[in-house]
Amino acid sequence: MASFFKVLTKIDIERTLSLPDSCLQALQQSQRSHGGEKLQVKDDVGISWNFYCTIRSGVVPKLDIVSGWIQFVRFKRLNTGDVIVLYKDDDTVTGPHYKIEVVKGHGDNYSSSAQMYTKSCYAS
């Protein structure tokens, strides 16, 4: 089940991926350490990616993926308008697993249709 999707912007592919504060709830509490989040995800071919996230305070707090993201962007050759989808699968034995999917070049078309099927972020 999709937990979150985002159409990538220029800043997302050049610097950092910013996600709404509501995405914090989708991450497991035990991954939090010193104001940050450690997020390990697997891509569609089974490669594990380690992202380190920080919480940007302000009027609307945001979760910024600051480490590991740019390597992922370069490896996947992401561009503005591509879409990332983050999935959270819960396993009663091994715990939650996170997966990331890339949808190339769909931008607004994906965004409008996906909104009918997913929420922006949610805790399972």
Side-chain angles (χ1 to χ4, degrees):
M1 184 173 286
S3 296
F4 174 78
F5 73 93
K6 183 175 186 185
V7 179
L8 299 177
T9 66
K10 184 176 179 176
I11 291 174
D12 293 329
I13 62 170
E14 290 181 356
R15 292 189 196 165
T16 185
L17 178 66
S18 292
L19 307 173
D21 181 52
S22 58
C23 292
L24 289 171
Q25 296 172 3
L27 298 177
Q28 192 176 7
Q29 187 73 19
S30 64
Q31 293 175 307
R32 296 185 182 185
S33 63
H34 302 99
E37 306 286 333
K38 184 178 178 181
L39 180 63
Q40 184 178 42
V41 299
K42 283 193 177 183
D43 66 15
D44 58 338
V45 294
I47 297 173
S48 290
W49 297 89
N50 293 305
F51 299 138
Y52 184 76
C53 313
T54 60
I55 303 166
R56 185 176 8 141
S57 60
V59 176
V60 179
K62 294 202 179 235
L63 179 69
D64 290 338
I65 298 179
V66 295
S67 178
W69 173 248
I70 294 302
Q71 291 84 354
F72 180 80
V73 168
R74 289 181 183 147
F75 185 82
K76 295 292 186 176
R77 296 181 178 164
L78 300 181
N79 295 300
T80 302
D82 291 344
V83 177
I84 56 119
V85 184
L86 181 66
Y87 297 88
K88 179 183 177 188
D89 290 328
D90 286 318
D91 184 313
T92 56
V93 176
T94 60
H97 298 279
Y98 300 93
K99 298 177 183 175
I100 192 165
E101 177 185 330
V102 173
V103 182
K104 299 289 272 175
H106 287 274
D108 292 331
N109 293 336
Y110 183 87
S111 177
S112 60
S113 62
Q115 286 176 357
M116 296 186 302
Y117 303 107
T118 63
K119 295 180 182 179
S120 183
C121 273
Y122 66 93
S124 297

